[in-house]
Amino acid sequence: MVIATHGIDLTLTTPALAGEIDRLETEFTVPTEKLNTVIEYFIEELNRGNEDGTDPTGIPMNVTWVMDYPDGSETGEYLAIDLGGTNLRVVMVSLLGNNKFTTKQSKFHIPVSMRTTKNRDDLFDFIASCLQDFLEEQNPNGIPKDAMFPLGFTFSYPATQSRINSGVLQRWTKGFDIPNVEGEDVVPLLMEHVHKRGLPIEVVALINDTSGTLVASRYTDPLTEMGCIFGTGVNGAYYDRVANIPKILGKLEDDVPSTSPMLINCEYGSFDNRHKVLPRTSYDIQIDNESPRPGQQAFEKMTSGYYLGELVRLVLLELYGKGLLFKDYKPASEQAQNLKTPYFLDTSFLSIIEADETENLSETLNLFSSKLFLDTTLEERKFTKKLCQFIGTRAARLSICGISAVCKKMNYKKCHVAADGSVFMKYPYFPERAAQGLSDVFGWEGLAEKDHPIRIVQSEDGSGVGAAVIAALSHKRQAKGLSLGLKL
Ligand code: BGC
């Protein structure tokens, strides 16, 4: 496995630990041949999802009813919200045409307890309250009486859409687990609270963050063919042709020809839920078994930011249990229980360690003592750094399987893949490792990264601008009397 160590010698001198790290390296390394096998099966699942998409063990390939490419000429003022895994963002987007836009936005932290609240109203009222705060802040003299704000609602969970401005939640992901929302259309659930607060808002489009990322980037860069999120969750979106989506053929209005583009939100976090090809370790299996939704989001559980810290924690805990790490650790005090607390470590833990280039790994030393109340030896820190490299590299290499599968299926030889998400933006070396993975799969050895035919590029602010552009595209279709969903 090619891993940059940046001059620090990470050789372990304790034989038992050295043996364990070799074992872990083998378990977490994904050779190129394995990537190719995964990609082949990925293409099968993409096609199967377009044929049916209702099999809970497959990729849903959700039809989004975005049937136009933006060309950068779209204009208008749109309100957008983005309900992600960690934050809710409210954005006012002014699309100026000429591929230009401006935004004003506020970010609201989603309280951790909200993810698993027993009352769905807590979540939807929280969103409505953020919208209210934002609109009041933007309109200090009061919201104009005759105003009506068109809203693009970015809902970053799998939803079945029969038309562009509605969506029934298929299942929660990324640790969300709120009763009575799965199987429900989330738009009326939100609008109930918007109306209660007397806000002049109308949902024009419900979109996924990947669709937003794709469309926002395409607004400014016509080479963009895919939008991907590498964050708390993972997923990708691309435009297919209606003729390639058997599950909607015969259910469309006459104004939608079979040559029409259709944006597909793959929801490929659920790739290989049947566990046929992904190289799962015992740690991956444990994460799945102990999650609120065992058997779901198999690909996401190995690659997304929500799980990377937990993978590291499980390995550290196992080695502590074997008496090989943290020998003086006395889990007596409450704080010292942190290592034993599921999901206590998030991806920033790995990011800090991977970025630590100090000779004695002193940033790692501080991190262990401040977060886990553990005094570590240099040997333990080297072990942990290597472990983070294995887990981070595996995530990046597996992540590109979704991109490669879509590019091969659609025969894209040269394009940009717009990427967003905390892992892509903040995890050290993630973009480089992903680019290396693509190069291995497509055989671009010797080409500088900037010359790779398929390049993962940082997206334009996906969630806000994409929702606004999609809302503008819908308005255009509406004005022309064109359909925005299944045949009525
Ligand atoms: C969700 C997707 C989303 C992705 C990235 C996944 O867990 O199912 O809808 O696009 O996370 O946010």
Side-chain angles (χ1 to χ4, degrees), residues 418-474:
D420 205 346
S422 51
V423 174
F424 187 79
M425 298 299 203
K426 296 196 196 139
Y427 194 106
Y429 315 117
F430 186 91
E432 292 84 345
R433 290 169 179 166
Q436 181 63 51
L438 281 178
S439 170
D440 292 349
V441 164
F442 286 96
W444 301 324
E445 202 185 327
L447 275 190
E449 200 181 306
K450 65 175 183 26
D451 298 323
H452 286 178
I454 298 170
R455 286 183 50 220
I456 310 175
V457 296
Q458 191 175 319
S459 78
E460 287 296 338
D461 166 29
S463 41
V465 179
V469 177
I470 291 176
L473 291 172
S474 310

Side-chain angles (χ1 to χ4, degrees), residues 63 200 229 289:
V63 171
I229 302 291
N289 288 343

Side-chain angles (χ1 to χ4, degrees), residues 156-158 173-174 208-210 229 233-235 267 297 300:
S156 305
Y157 300 88
T173 60
K174 298 179 281 205
N208 186 258
D209 50 358
T210 50
I229 302 291
V234 300
N235 191 10
E267 286 296 336
Q297 301 297 102
E300 180 159 284

Side-chain angles (χ1 to χ4, degrees), residues 213-254:
T213 301
L214 167 54
V215 170
S217 292
R218 180 99 185 192
Y219 186 74
T220 59
D221 171 10
L223 278 182
T224 314
E225 296 288 7
M226 264 192 95
C228 289
I229 302 291
F230 307 94
T232 312
V234 300
N235 191 10
Y238 73 105
Y239 281 93
D240 213 319
R241 297 260 148 219
V242 162
N244 293 337
I245 315 168
K247 66 186 173 190
I248 52 169
L249 293 177
K251 298 180 187 164
L252 300 169
E253 297 285 1
D254 293 342

Side-chain angles (χ1 to χ4, degrees), residues 92-352:
M92 184 59 87
V93 187
S94 306
L95 298 175
L96 306 171
N98 282 326
N99 315 85
K100 302 247 175 339
F101 58 81
T102 58
T103 56
K104 287 181 204 149
Q105 57 175 295
S106 294
K107 195 159 143 179
F108 302 84
H109 180 68
I110 304 173
V112 174
S113 59
M114 187 77 78
R115 293 182 186 174
T116 51
T117 172
K118 292 284 163 269
N119 185 351
R120 69 183 184 189
D121 289 337
D122 293 345
L123 175 70
F124 291 100
D125 194 52
F126 169 74
I127 305 174
S129 76
C130 295
L131 278 166
Q132 181 165 16
D133 288 355
F134 180 81
L135 286 180
E136 286 174 356
E137 197 188 295
Q138 294 296 317
N139 297 279
N141 301 323
I143 300 172
K145 285 266 165 308
D146 55 351
M148 181 50 80
F149 295 96
L151 174 72
F153 180 5
T154 304
F155 182 69
S156 305
Y157 300 88
T160 308
Q161 296 190 268
S162 57
R163 52 190 309 99
I164 195 151
N165 60 354
S166 71
V168 174
L169 176 65
Q170 292 164 341
R171 61 188 170 278
W172 285 117
T173 60
K174 298 179 281 205
F176 266 68
D177 189 15
I178 304 174
N180 306 320
V181 189
E182 286 169 322
E184 297 285 328
D185 184 346
V186 294
V187 173
L189 293 182
L190 173 63
M191 288 312 288
E192 185 189 327
H193 293 274
V194 164
H195 289 143
K196 267 191 197 154
R197 287 171 180 268
L199 303 173
I201 290 174
E202 168 199 32
V203 177
V204 181
L206 181 79
I207 70 161
N208 186 258
D209 50 358
T210 50
S211 317
T213 301
L214 167 54
V215 170
S217 292
R218 180 99 185 192
Y219 186 74
T220 59
D221 171 10
L223 278 182
T224 314
E225 296 288 7
M226 264 192 95
C228 289
I229 302 291
F230 307 94
T232 312
V234 300
N235 191 10
Y238 73 105
Y239 281 93
D240 213 319
R241 297 260 148 219
V242 162
N244 293 337
I245 315 168
K247 66 186 173 190
I248 52 169
L249 293 177
K251 298 180 187 164
L252 300 169
E253 297 285 1
D254 293 342
D255 62 53
V256 184
S258 61
T259 50
S260 168
M262 177 67 83
L263 200 158
I264 297 288
N265 160 24
C266 303
E267 286 296 336
Y268 62 49
S270 66
F271 167 65
D272 200 22
N273 279 351
R274 294 192 193 122
H275 307 139
K276 296 249 194 234
V277 286
L278 286 173
R280 296 202 307 161
T281 63
S282 56
Y283 314 102
D284 299 303
I285 293 169
Q286 185 176 348
I287 284 191
D288 186 33
N289 288 343
E290 291 171 3
S291 78
R293 301 279 187 284
Q296 294 184 4
Q297 301 297 102
F299 185 62
E300 180 159 284
K301 282 173 176 155
M302 297 173 79
T303 53
S304 86
Y306 191 74
Y307 301 97
L308 299 184
E310 183 63 1
L311 279 168
V312 169
R313 192 189 71 84
L314 290 179
V315 178
L316 294 181
L317 201 60
E318 178 189 63
L319 270 84
Y320 163 70
K322 287 183 179 174
L324 296 176
L325 282 178
F326 320 131
K327 293 196 178 113
D328 299 329
Y329 171 46
K330 304 254 172 336
S333 73
E334 206 174 299
Q335 291 155 328
Q337 293 297 326
N338 291 350
L339 181 62
K340 299 201 161 176
T341 307
Y343 291 89
F344 186 79
L345 300 180
D346 62 22
T347 302
S348 70
F349 186 81
L350 287 81
S351 296
I352 294 170

